[in-house]
Amino acid sequence: MSLNVAVIVKLEPDFSEGNISYNADGTLNRAETKSKLGAHSSVACLAAFYAKVNYGANISVATMGPPMSEIALSEAQSICDADSLHLYTDRIFASADTLATAEVLKKGIQKMKENENENNNGIDIIFSGHRASDGETGQTGPQTAWKLGYPFFGNVIDYHLNLKDRVVTLKRLVVLNGMDNIIEEIESPLPVFIALDPSYKPSFTTLSSRLKATIFEKNAEKKVANFKSYLKMFDHNSLELDPKEVGLSGSPTIVYKVERIPKGKMNRKAEIIDGRDRNQIKNIAEKILILNGQYGRS
Amino acid sequence: MEDFDVIIIGGGSAGLAALKHISALGKQAILIESGKEIGSKNVSGGILYSKNKEYGQVHNVEDIYGQKFLEEEPYERRITKYILNATSKDKVCSIDLTSIHDFQSNFGCSVLLNKLNTWFAKEAQEEAQKQGGGIVTGVHVKNIKWNNENTPIELDGGKQNSSTYDNSLIVETDELEEFRSRAIIAADGVNSEIASLLRAREKFSPDQLYQGVKVVIKLPEEIIEKRFEIGPDEGAAHLFSGDISLNQVGGGFLYTNRDSISIGGVYHLSSLLENPVEPDQLVNSLINNPLVKDLIQDEVPIKNIEKNLSKEEQTKKSFTISKLIRTWNELREIYYSPKNREKTIANGKFKSIEEIKDKINTTRRRLVEEFNTKFVTNYVELEYSAKVVPDGKRCMMNKPYYKNVLFVGDAAGRGIFLGPRIEGLNVGMDDAVRAAKTIIKYIKNNLTDPNIGEIYSQSIHESPYTRDMKKIDKDYLKVLLKAVKKIPLEDLGAKNNFLIRCMSNDFLRNFAVSTINKVGFYKFLSFVESPKIYIDIPILLAEKLGRKINTSTKFDIPELSERISKLKYYEDNNSHIIVTKPQIEFMKKMTVLCPTKCYSIEDQNVVIQHEGCIECGTCSKETSWKHPRGEKGIFFKYG
Amino acid sequence: MIENKKLSDLEDGNNSNSYHHMLVIIEVVDGVVLPVNYEMLGEARRLMDFFNKQYNSNEKVIAVVLGQNIKDLCNELINYGADVVVYADDPNLRYMVNQTSTKVISSIAMDKDIISKISPDFVNHYKKPRYMFFAADSIGRHLSATVLAELDSGLASDVNKLEISDLEIKHQHKTKGNALKYGKVLEMYRPDFSGFLWTTILCLDNKNPEIRRDFHPQACSIIPGAFAPLEPDPKRKGQLIEFTPKFDKKDLKIKVLNRSIDKDKIDFDSFKIVISFGKGIKEFPEDNIKLIETLSKLTGAEIGISLPLSKKIFKLDEKINSKYMIPGRVIGTSGRKITPKIYIAIGISGAIQHIEGMKEAEFVIAINTDENAPIINECDIFIKGKMEDVLPVLIEEIKRIISPLEVQAKRK
Ligand SMILES: Cc1cc2nc3c(=O)[nH]c(=O)nc-3n(C[C@H](O)[C@H](O)[C@H](O)COP(=O)(O)OP(=O)(O)OC[C@H]3O[C@@H](n4cnc5c(N)ncnc54)[C@H](O)[C@@H]3O)c2cc1C
Ligand SMILES: Cc1cc2nc3c(=O)[nH]c(=O)nc-3n(C[C@H](O)[C@H](O)[C@H](O)COP(=O)(O)OP(=O)(O)OC[C@H]3O[C@@H](n4cnc5c(N)ncnc54)[C@H](O)[C@@H]3O)c2cc1C
Ligand code: SF4
């Protein structure tokens, strides 16, 4: 009763202060800005790690991106003690939108089934992060899931498996505008696609499982030292992808233009007003109501 | 319920040594630490000693971790220069006490506990895993009870007839399901909840504690060596007393690390309660000392962003400057460190040292010319921290156990304060080995021997460190006085002079010391650790004999709020501390003495804002005090 | 029908009459239509009114609702701007489960019966909707992705501005480098991750013969609060169409076992204005809180606090304490990070930990007695004065403006 899981990750620029750099014209200086495994991707790895420790899962991590994306794979391996790393890299994959990316990931994950897990059910669970921080919008996951025919569950904060019946129970955090937050508990047969909420944390509940986790952590360390031996590269040929379906050709959407948001946030420079000046307070009252759409037009 | 033989609570240097040793002796043990990572909750000064005691054997760091400790150097610098500075305003009288430092020592090295304990943990973990044990972090033990009792123990420490109980313990944590253990080593530090929970001892009272407050300061490696006139394999330690103590009993310290400086003070809590001074002010008074200023100053860039840019441009500019400053800092770290230089040149990043230097200069120039950055003389703080330290001679547990729970290190109140020197790390590690050995015997007896505690206690009493906590070592005093002898004491006034003269006489000293030890060392503490010794004499020394230090350097010392905002917390909505006596004097004083100002008085009641708590333990005595839940609370990056 | 075509349609490609209407996917949670859906309907109405006028056509805003016992909600959607409401009412749709919802919505989108009921003219060539709107929330974001994967088209997410226009496009892939005209293109604006830039996304058919492929519908998910809903008009007429969904047995094995509501969380995100108070209320806490309550009622604001207040430091009525002095209202690193349009900080000094929670607010007003309080560096207007003096005047002035307006509204 083996369990096979896949994790989809992404290499992202590190946008934190002290790491990010801009060119003189205000655009992102990609050369100077370091890249790393995206924060949300590492959450997905944690979920896979939980499956490894608790259910003995075999883990494959996959990413689509330029060759340097292998950094993301090795970082992912160090988190989840992955057994194999898959890099989908091909010039023609570049600049893909989510639909075209999902196409590549779909083929890649189908290949995982064929290659590694000949005599079992294929991939049982696919994990992905909530979204990437550099503009990707959290659609790649659900679209990949759909193309593969896996039910998709987003914002997952906890999950448990019943391996005997091959059923997953999971909790999702549903945040809706104008409503209280909802925690929804769902049961679904495997296979499934799970996108983790950023707040996900593996819920090891026994001391022995925590101990076990430390052993896998150690293993991961050893593997990462030699991560290239776990790495497999694929291009559109080896994934048997039609070039028309991927990259720019397979992307329905294009970025038509980029412009400054007109009323871009200005630096705050406080206008100081004397609280005893009724006229001034009146102006502020107006300002509040205008901004709030209760009066005039903004 | 899961069953284990031995659980160690607390992953400080004491707990880790216990784990390492039990595992090395071939048995399974599991260490539980509440911090998110090992090392994130531990604070020291600190100098870790390896001792060579005359009155018995101690277990030193290199005995526990082997030669690897010396090879991999998880410490900062070996201390080769040990100086006491008496201060008064701009005058400093420096006395070389290196002989004191070397007294019965193999070596002493400066350490930063996050790094050190992380290394210990790596070693201990590896050993433990071989035996099926290991380290589990982020788990907070909240209760221990014995299997045959439903309620927590409510008995006096260890007085129960031990043959009648079922010795298996049930451990409750905030994070995991309950589990059973047959013995526990409590290495949970000076604010031990386990000790209070079991009533194995009273909470330490202010009289038994010192409050230690520290700041880690950044300074490049070779600049340190130049300033302190030490070689690459050497380190300096400075102690301070006199006016820097703002009239408190205690003193200041400054230790050189590899590429940083630890600076801080350790003050008697009773003294602080009597005349409350803000802990950060005590650190500031040291930083403002002219000698210290000259030692720690550095070139510091100041970001300057035009206010009339749009927020977007400001942010981008600010980020770009941050990145440049970071590059500049990193390059300096390479340039001023022989090891880093070598590595960087070897991996081809730079061709030569000159090239690194060039890059530093161009980065600096860019910062100045393109981004209007100013470089000023100042210093850079990395981390502010605090923790109370138990004074073993006043508070060590006479019987450091309760049933089959053994207390080690700070949890057992074991630390040596000998004049200017603190020893807690080495003592805790020695305790740990003794506990480990006891446990091994216990396991061999099928985990049933009801005398486990007594056996451990005996071993502890054989420890030379225990002796140090009870008695003045006359040889130590001799060395101390010899060091002080070079000072022309005539100038100090007849009375003090007379005392020192008497003590310098071998016969008189030995007589005095043995009398004191007979009557009880602790009875003389109020005399030895008095304002006179700690404040008046040093000030006198400085004024009469000190050299004047002129410095024009003005430091921009960060406000407390700035220091706190730089700390890393994993916040918890639930407070781990509850104020139970909101109107007593002690609590009112906490509004001053809490190092992060967590307390304020509102409507005549003292209230706590626990979010800023750095878990020092100063307020523990009169509050319901627990460590935060697993992973929560302060996270020290240096410690 | 060919005769009716306008020029831009002809250049729009062969399949231009295969795509019609605007589908707006409505989310019903526990019997309630989410506010964002009304905003989407408002924007859809505006765009399609423009569209129909511009292109002299008659395409509809179709609201799609799934759920159980939802029929009663349909008229409301018409009042808010929908022409047609297609609803699927089934116990299996009680909760929005992505798998089942995706299939039902996709079937509705491609259902010719429905089109024949709405616009029989289109039915022959009809393939898919022209445009589609989803909400950019925990349900809609994922739903939009899976539905569009099923419909095999593109999607922009987190959109906050929309236009329809005819564009000339020259694109290496889409048009093989030639300048070609695209008609009725939905320009979808989304703020990029930095918050400073707007990226416009288009979903375009590949007209390049080598990679020819149609990409419709043009779809997006819409940020809550970005658009204004219309005033509901109970007199608006529209068409209700019931759709009977079919389910895969396999999908019905996905079960919602339990749902619990997390009540502690204050829903700051739904409010344009947040008014916070701090220790500065100390002299007359009870009276000051009353003033702040009045102000918040007048402006429809949610109320926040600074951290110390959550420690219940003032002796107050237990009702007030349990309503306001709670961790859920704290703004800052230990509490919430919020991004309202207006933030009013009353008697708050502006400690760095507090600033972290509100610095992304668009417009910040502080009321404080102390000009040296750090909040002055993080606000747009600093009213120097005691809140006890300032608030009553501010409230009075606001009332003075609002009441004649209300009178005006009544007269209309
Ligand atoms: C300013 C200062 C200067 C010092 N200078 C020196 C010096 O120069 N030389 C020297 O030798 N010593 C010095 N000391 C003393 C020395 O630092 C301590 O004695 C030593 O760090 C104590 O180690 P420990 O392992 O006993 O406790 P700690 O390091 O406090 O470790 C206890 C651990 O237990 C964990 N814990 C607590 N409760 C629980 C629970 N319920 N569940 C799970 N985990 C728990 C804590 O998170 C912590 O990690 C100094 C101390 C200070 C503060
Ligand atoms: C780790 C940590 C996390 C923290 N997280 C948060 C957090 O998430 N959120 C948060 O808010 N704080 C947080 N704090 C606390 C923060 O540092 C400040 O202590 C707190 O924000 C101060 O609250 P305040 O502004 O209400 O009070 P004060 O600083 O006392 O300010 C009161 C202000 O009111 C003004 N005032 C007085 N009387 C009047 C009057 N009659 N009319 C008008 N103004 C008046 C005063 O001039 C003053 O500026 C945190 C602290 C720490 C250490
Ligand atoms: S509140 Fe925390 S930081 Fe303050 S004194 Fe108490 S333990 Fe120390």
Side-chain angles (χ1 to χ4, degrees):
Chain A
M1 225 174 318
S2 66
L3 181 73
N4 296 302
V5 309
V7 192
I8 300 175
V9 300
K10 192 161 186 286
L11 185 74
E12 292 168 19
D14 184 348
F15 286 110
S16 59
E17 177 153 14
N19 291 307
I20 188 168
S21 180
Y22 291 95
N23 296 316
D25 63 356
T27 54
L28 183 69
N29 181 341
R30 291 223 172 230
E32 285 274 316
T33 302
K34 273 199 197 131
S35 289
K36 55 166 199 183
L37 178 69
H40 294 306
S41 297
S42 45
V43 177
C45 294
L46 283 175
F49 184 63
Y50 177 74
K52 172 145 231 163
V53 176
N54 259 25
Y55 309 110
N58 181 289
I59 301 177
S60 310
V61 185
T63 189
M64 184 192 96
M68 72 186 273
S69 301
E70 64 179 36
I71 306 168
L73 292 175
S74 82
E75 279 180 50
Q77 188 174 39
S78 78
I79 300 173
C80 67
D81 189 29
D83 304 283
S84 65
L85 307 174
H86 298 224
L87 175 57
Y88 312 132
T89 187
D90 193 320
R91 273 262 183 75
I92 66 165
F93 294 166
S95 310
D97 75 355
T98 54
L99 195 74
T101 306
E103 189 62 30
V104 174
L105 293 174
K106 173 186 94 175
K107 271 284 161 61
I109 285 164
Q110 282 172 342
K111 272 262 175 281
M112 280 179 195
K113 285 190 187 180
E114 291 163 21
N115 289 351
E116 274 143 45
N117 315 296
E118 289 135 19
N119 40 13
N120 54 43
N121 321 327
I123 301 293
D124 299 295
I125 311 180
I126 306 166
F127 293 105
S128 82
H130 180 55
R131 53 160 60 192
S133 58
D134 61 343
E136 195 270 341
T137 46
Q139 299 159 357
T140 313
Q143 297 206 322
T144 308
W146 197 260
K147 281 172 178 268
L148 284 162
Y150 283 35
F152 174 85
F153 301 97
N155 297 96
V156 171
I157 53 172
D158 196 13
Y159 80 93
H160 295 279
L161 296 177
N162 173 343
L163 277 186
K164 198 167 108 279
D165 303 330
R166 301 200 83 74
V167 167
V168 60
T169 35
L170 49 84
K171 285 197 183 128
R172 336 195 296 115
L173 176 67
V174 183
V175 181
L176 299 168
N177 216 259
M179 300 276 293
D180 287 325
N181 291 351
I182 299 167
I183 292 175
E184 195 174 65
E185 201 177 328
I186 296 187
E187 177 186 282
S188 168
L190 297 177
V192 290
F193 190 114
I194 290 179
L196 281 309
D197 193 78
S199 67
Y200 169 81
K201 271 196 63 187
S203 58
F204 296 111
T205 54
T206 62
L207 188 56
S208 59
S209 65
R210 283 294 313 271
L211 264 185
K212 221 160 118 192
T214 64
I215 293 170
F216 284 112
E217 278 162 14
K218 187 106 188 210
N219 275 346
E221 245 173 67
K222 282 191 207 137
K223 281 187 191 165
V224 169
N226 197 12
F227 82 93
K228 291 218 174 173
S229 64
Y230 298 88
L231 183 67
K232 290 180 200 145
M233 312 260 251
F234 299 86
D235 60 10
H236 78 274
N237 282 323
S238 51
L239 289 176
E240 295 164 56
L241 275 161
D242 179 350
K244 278 189 228 154
E245 303 266 317
V246 299
L248 275 168
S249 311
S251 298
T253 60
I254 61 166
V255 174
Y256 175 56
K257 61 185 175 193
V258 176
E259 62 200 315
R260 232 158 252 263
I261 294 177
K263 269 184 242 146
K265 284 175 199 155
M266 289 301 285
N267 174 44
R268 293 196 210 286
K269 226 188 204 165
E271 181 186 342
I272 300 172
I273 278 170
D274 184 346
R276 287 163 303 188
D277 184 339
R278 190 172 258 277
N279 250 332
Q280 299 251 44
I281 302 281
K282 184 177 157 213
N283 292 340
I284 292 168
E286 273 177 21
K287 176 108 202 173
I288 293 173
L289 294 174
I290 288 172
L291 280 170
N292 199 25
Q294 283 171 290
Y295 173 52
R297 276 236 63 145
S298 57
Chain B
M1 199 184 299
E2 296 186 336
D3 249 307
F4 302 93
D5 287 352
V6 184
I7 297 288
I8 300 163
I9 302 172
S13 44
L16 291 165
L19 178 69
K20 166 80 190 180
H21 205 67
I22 293 175
S23 312
L25 294 175
K27 296 294 172 198
Q28 182 204 45
I30 298 159
L31 183 148
I32 295 175
E33 162 62 39
S34 65
K36 192 176 168 74
E37 285 167 23
I38 289 285
S40 61
K41 297 280 186 189
N42 314 111
V43 179
S44 190
I47 298 176
L48 168 61
Y49 287 98
S50 165
K51 307 291 290 191
N52 173 14
K53 302 298 285 189
E54 195 173 317
Y55 300 98
Q57 198 211 339
V58 291
H59 307 87
N60 286 317
V61 57
E62 73 276 20
D63 303 329
I64 302 168
Y65 294 95
Q67 279 305 108
K68 225 172 165 184
F69 176 79
L70 303 171
E71 287 159 19
E72 294 190 9
E73 301 183 8
Y75 55 86
E76 299 296 319
R77 287 173 183 273
R78 289 227 192 179
I79 299 302
T80 49
K81 204 177 197 180
Y82 196 78
I83 292 165
L84 175 67
N85 302 286
T87 67
S88 177
K89 299 199 189 91
D90 57 354
K91 285 185 135 182
V92 178
C93 170
S94 303
I95 306 164
D96 190 323
L97 289 186
T98 310
S99 56
I100 281 290
H101 177 264
D102 292 343
F103 179 73
Q104 295 184 350
S105 310
N106 301 319
F107 60 83
C109 46
S110 55
V111 296
L112 288 169
L113 274 196
N114 187 312
K115 178 167 145 195
L116 181 74
N117 282 344
T118 303
W119 188 87
F120 286 160
K122 173 176 80 80
E123 295 297 307
Q125 170 91 296
E126 197 166 305
E127 196 80 53
Q129 284 182 340
K130 288 185 205 153
Q131 311 301 335
I135 298 173
V136 170
T137 56
V139 173
H140 174 241
V141 175
K142 67 170 176 200
N143 196 16
I144 297 177
K145 58 190 186 198
W146 274 263
N147 206 16
N148 57 355
E149 288 157 312
N150 299 323
T151 45
I153 305 301
E154 303 238 357
L155 298 160
D156 290 345
K159 282 195 192 123
Q160 215 198 18
N161 178 356
S162 42
S163 57
T164 55
Y165 65 83
D166 163 9
N167 69 354
S168 62
L169 297 134
I170 294 174
V171 181
E172 291 174 19
T173 67
D174 282 317
E175 292 75 22
L176 303 175
E177 290 166 13
E178 291 180 2
F179 49 88
R180 238 191 309 259
S181 166
R182 304 294 288 278
I184 283 178
I185 294 179
D188 54 340
V190 58
N191 304 306
S192 173
E193 278 164 77
I194 308 301
S196 318
L197 217 63
L198 303 181
R199 313 245 171 117
R201 62 162 165 83
E202 289 286 308
K203 275 188 188 176
F204 295 135
S205 62
D207 179 50
Q208 297 170 320
L209 294 174
Y210 278 67
Q211 185 193 54
V213 186
K214 180 173 107 163
V215 169
V216 180
I217 287 168
K218 186 177 156 79
L219 200 59
E221 193 170 327
E222 285 176 340
I223 296 186
I224 292 182
E225 282 153 20
K226 208 167 135 208
R227 290 274 167 76
F228 289 84
E229 298 168 354
I230 50 177
D233 300 323
E234 297 176 328
H238 283 255
L239 298 166
F240 295 85
S241 60
D243 70 342
I244 55 100
S245 74
L246 307 179
N247 275 320
Q248 300 291 337
V249 171
F253 62 83
L254 182 161
Y255 303 143
T256 55
N257 302 319
R258 176 70 27 213
D259 54 4
S260 65
I261 304 263
S262 293
I263 184 167
V266 180
Y267 293 94
H268 200 192
L269 197 46
S270 295
S271 160
L272 288 166
L273 276 163
E274 207 164 285
N275 168 25
V277 177
E278 275 104 349
D280 59 313
Q281 293 307 321
L282 284 164
V283 179
N284 292 355
S285 83
L286 193 55
I287 291 172
N288 265 328
N289 180 276
L291 173 70
V292 174
K293 269 189 181 168
D294 282 349
L295 288 172
I296 65 175
Q297 61 178 252
D298 194 10
E299 189 182 24
V300 179
I302 296 184
K303 227 164 143 173
N304 181 15
I305 294 161
E306 291 153 58
K307 279 271 180 224
N308 50 7
L309 295 174
S310 78
K311 196 152 181 127
E312 172 190 358
E313 275 158 51
Q314 278 198 30
T315 311
K316 285 190 172 171
K317 212 162 221 171
S318 156
F319 277 24
T320 306
I321 297 173
S322 293
K323 170 94 192 186
L324 278 171
I325 290 179
R326 191 172 159 159
T327 310
W328 180 76
N329 273 323
E330 283 169 358
L331 286 168
R332 267 172 37 112
E333 271 159 37
I334 296 168
Y335 180 74
Y336 287 111
S337 152
K339 257 198 201 135
N340 290 347
R341 274 195 311 251
E342 224 171 87
K343 226 172 43 197
T344 323
I345 294 173
N347 72 18
K349 240 181 160 175
F350 289 95
K351 282 191 214 69
S352 64
I353 300 175
E354 288 70 40
E355 202 186 318
I356 305 174
K357 179 85 199 169
D358 268 2
K359 182 84 204 219
I360 295 178
N361 288 338
T362 46
T363 312
R364 191 182 189 284
R365 211 172 314 120
R366 266 194 79 189
L367 277 164
V368 173
E369 286 166 12
E370 283 174 49
F371 295 97
N372 222 349
T373 305
K374 280 201 189 73
F375 282 80
V376 299
T377 302
N378 202 355
Y379 75 105
V380 182
E381 288 191 7
L382 296 170
E383 185 171 83
Y384 172 74
S385 58
K387 181 77 107 199
V388 291
V389 198
D391 180 358
K393 57 186 180 289
R394 291 176 160 107
C395 70
M396 68 167 161
M397 285 168 82
N398 189 34
K399 288 189 179 290
Y401 68 92
Y402 183 83
K403 295 188 180 178
N404 43 347
V405 178
L406 314 182
F407 292 85
V408 300
D410 278 13
R414 293 172 56 80
I416 301 170
F417 274 70
L418 260 182
R421 202 160 90 189
I422 307 176
E423 294 178 28
L425 296 163
N426 52 333
V427 175
M429 291 167 74
D430 178 60
D431 292 353
V433 172
R434 290 169 194 276
K437 286 184 168 164
T438 312
I439 293 272
I440 294 291
K441 277 188 212 150
Y442 179 67
I443 295 175
K444 286 192 180 138
N445 280 335
N446 293 323
L447 304 136
T448 53
D449 187 352
N451 286 322
I452 171 178
E454 213 28 63
I455 295 169
Y456 169 62
S457 187
Q458 273 167 26
S459 170
I460 285 292
H461 282 279
E462 285 158 16
S463 161
Y465 291 138
T466 309
R467 188 178 189 279
D468 287 344
M469 284 177 243
K470 283 187 182 155
K471 293 191 161 114
I472 299 180
D473 189 326
K474 56 184 188 307
D475 295 334
Y476 178 80
L477 210 58
K478 186 174 165 186
V479 180
L480 177 67
L481 291 164
K482 204 170 149 201
V484 185
K485 216 169 178 177
K486 292 167 214 149
I487 306 167
L489 295 164
E490 297 72 33
D491 301 354
L492 282 186
K495 214 167 129 206
N496 301 318
N497 193 357
F498 174 72
L499 190 69
I500 294 174
R501 274 284 127 83
C502 286
M503 295 307 285
S504 307
N505 178 300
D506 276 358
F507 174 75
L508 282 179
R509 185 183 62 249
N510 287 349
F511 175 74
V513 169
S514 65
T515 312
I516 288 173
N517 283 341
K518 246 181 235 148
V519 176
F521 179 24
Y522 60 93
K523 288 196 179 146
F524 290 87
L525 289 181
S526 59
F527 167 73
V528 180
E529 293 179 357
S530 64
K532 189 174 189 91
I533 304 267
Y534 275 84
I535 305 154
D536 301 346
I537 295 183
I539 289 182
L540 204 64
L541 262 175
E543 275 169 5
K544 295 262 153 116
L545 305 172
R547 62 190 195 286
K548 203 172 159 136
I549 298 179
N550 292 315
T551 177
S552 54
T553 311
K554 274 224 168 67
F555 276 167
D556 196 4
I557 297 183
E559 298 281 333
L560 179 61
S561 59
E562 202 178 318
R563 285 177 168 147
I564 296 171
S565 70
K566 275 202 202 143
L567 292 173
K568 185 167 167 185
Y569 293 97
Y570 289 90
E571 282 168 35
D572 190 349
N573 267 347
N574 300 335
S575 179
H576 55 289
I577 300 173
I578 294 163
V579 179
T580 47
K581 302 168 184 165
Q583 296 186 335
I584 63 170
E585 272 312 298
F586 179 93
M587 290 313 295
K588 286 185 185 148
K589 289 183 174 157
M590 287 303 125
T591 59
V592 180
L593 294 185
C594 168
T596 47
K597 279 229 180 309
C598 293
Y599 289 100
S600 59
I601 299 181
E602 314 285 347
D603 254 358
Q604 287 152 35
N605 282 323
V606 174
V607 296
I608 182 169
Q609 189 173 294
H610 72 277
E611 282 81 355
C613 174
I614 50 176
E615 300 153 35
C616 71
T618 305
C619 64
S620 161
K621 182 71 180 166
E622 301 291 350
T623 54
S624 155
W625 201 102
K626 298 210 160 54
H627 292 89
R629 295 189 290 170
E631 301 195 353
K632 301 287 186 191
I634 186 69
F635 187 108
F636 288 121
K637 291 181 237 171
Y638 297 89
Chain C
M1 270 172 289
I2 297 275
E3 297 80 352
N4 290 343
K5 269 193 157 184
K6 281 193 61 173
L7 181 69
S8 61
D9 261 355
L10 286 171
E11 290 184 10
D12 199 18
N14 305 334
N15 289 319
S16 63
N17 55 356
S18 307
Y19 311 112
H20 300 285
H21 307 305
M22 155 92 73
L23 254 57
V24 178
I25 309 304
I26 305 295
E27 294 169 9
V28 178
V29 176
D30 300 329
V32 182
V33 174
L34 299 184
V36 60
N37 295 134
Y38 296 127
E39 296 159 16
M40 287 152 64
L41 283 173
E43 182 64 6
R45 182 75 270 144
R46 181 186 76 80
L47 284 169
M48 291 316 281
D49 283 349
F50 166 84
F51 179 98
N52 289 331
K53 200 166 138 216
Q54 181 79 4
Y55 302 111
N56 189 21
S57 61
N58 185 16
E59 300 207 1
K60 310 285 188 190
V61 173
I62 305 172
V64 175
V65 203
L66 320 184
Q68 186 183 17
N69 303 329
I70 44 158
K71 208 175 155 195
D72 294 347
L73 303 170
C74 295
N75 283 319
E76 190 72 5
L77 298 172
I78 299 212
N79 297 348
Y80 273 94
D83 298 310
V84 182
V85 179
V86 178
Y87 65 95
D89 198 327
D90 191 293
N92 288 317
L93 295 172
R94 178 161 170 213
Y95 304 116
M96 293 283 251
V97 172
N98 184 278
Q99 181 77 4
T100 40
S101 303
T102 302
K103 288 190 182 167
V104 174
I105 291 168
S106 307
S107 321
I108 290 175
M110 302 206 279
D111 192 289
K112 290 208 175 188
D113 281 350
I114 294 177
I115 297 304
S116 71
K117 285 179 196 156
I118 299 170
S119 41
D121 287 359
F122 295 151
V123 82
N124 284 341
H125 300 278
Y126 181 85
K127 280 190 186 151
K128 294 181 205 168
R130 182 186 293 283
Y131 308 126
M132 253 175 127
F133 283 1
F134 296 82
D137 60 22
S138 292
I139 296 174
R141 273 213 191 89
H142 301 142
L143 200 56
S144 60
T146 44
V147 168
L148 270 293
E150 175 67 20
L151 299 180
D152 202 25
S153 185
L155 166 72
S157 69
D158 297 333
V159 163
N160 67 351
K161 183 182 159 187
L162 289 156
E163 296 298 346
I164 291 172
S165 45
D166 300 335
L167 298 172
E168 194 178 82
I169 303 284
K170 200 169 151 184
H171 188 267
Q172 204 200 330
H173 284 75
K174 293 271 169 201
T175 68
K176 210 181 173 189
N178 302 315
L180 293 180
K181 207 152 193 190
Y182 280 79
K184 303 167 185 166
V185 179
L186 187 61
E187 291 186 66
M188 304 178 275
Y189 291 70
R190 55 185 304 254
D192 84 340
F193 55 89
S194 70
F196 298 125
L197 298 176
W198 247 341
T199 325
T200 309
I201 308 282
L202 309 179
C203 175
L204 301 175
D205 299 338
N206 288 354
K207 296 191 178 184
N208 176 349
E210 283 156 29
I211 52 171
R212 233 250 73 110
R213 198 163 147 196
D214 275 11
F215 288 119
H216 271 85
Q218 307 173 48
C220 63
S221 62
I222 288 175
I223 302 182
F227 299 107
L230 299 176
E231 274 298 313
D233 175 1
K235 291 197 289 282
R236 265 188 64 90
K237 288 266 169 327
Q239 193 178 359
L240 299 192
I241 299 174
E242 173 152 21
F243 176 81
T244 313
K246 291 189 203 73
F247 298 98
D248 284 351
K249 261 216 194 98
K250 211 175 81 201
D251 294 346
L252 296 182
K253 285 195 185 149
I254 301 170
K255 290 192 197 100
V256 176
L257 303 177
N258 187 23
R259 279 157 63 90
S260 53
I261 283 167
D262 185 1
K263 272 249 186 305
D264 287 348
K265 215 138 192 198
I266 305 286
D267 181 24
F268 285 111
D269 301 337
S270 302
F271 289 83
K272 274 194 187 166
I273 303 195
V274 173
I275 303 176
S276 291
F277 58 92
K279 278 166 81 176
I281 63 162
K282 61 179 180 282
E283 266 178 71
F284 308 97
E286 208 128 336
D287 296 344
N288 285 330
I289 290 175
K290 278 206 189 100
L291 288 171
I292 290 160
E293 276 179 330
T294 310
L295 183 62
S296 85
K297 279 208 191 91
L298 284 171
T299 52
E302 185 51 277
I303 292 181
I305 57 172
S306 70
L307 180 68
L309 293 226
S310 70
K311 314 292 174 194
K312 306 194 174 31
I313 52 179
F314 301 115
K315 288 205 186 73
L316 288 167
D317 191 86
E318 195 36 46
K319 256 202 205 134
I320 297 185
N321 261 341
S322 60
K323 182 161 185 205
Y324 295 118
M325 310 310 186
I326 51 171
R329 288 197 190 266
V330 173
I331 306 297
T333 51
S334 314
R336 294 284 294 282
K337 290 196 166 110
I338 56 169
T339 52
K341 244 189 153 69
I342 309 174
Y343 185 77
I344 308 182
I346 304 175
I348 290 179
S349 61
I352 173 92
Q353 295 92 351
H354 188 82
I355 301 289
E356 280 302 315
M358 46 59 75
K359 65 178 181 195
E360 297 295 323
E362 234 164 84
F363 196 80
V364 178
I365 301 171
I367 305 176
N368 201 307
T369 43
D370 177 8
E371 238 176 283
N372 294 318
I375 189 85
I376 201 161
N377 299 319
E378 216 35 74
C379 68
D380 301 277
I381 292 179
F382 183 92
I383 307 178
K384 181 172 156 50
K386 293 181 74 153
M387 67 178 87
E388 292 84 350
D389 303 334
V390 176
L391 286 176
V393 181
L394 185 63
I395 288 168
E396 212 180 293
E397 290 299 335
I398 286 181
K399 277 188 179 158
R400 217 195 290 244
I401 303 169
I402 291 185
S403 45
L405 259 149
E406 279 167 354
V407 175
Q408 240 177 13
K410 270 178 203 146
R411 257 189 277 141
K412 254 188 186 169

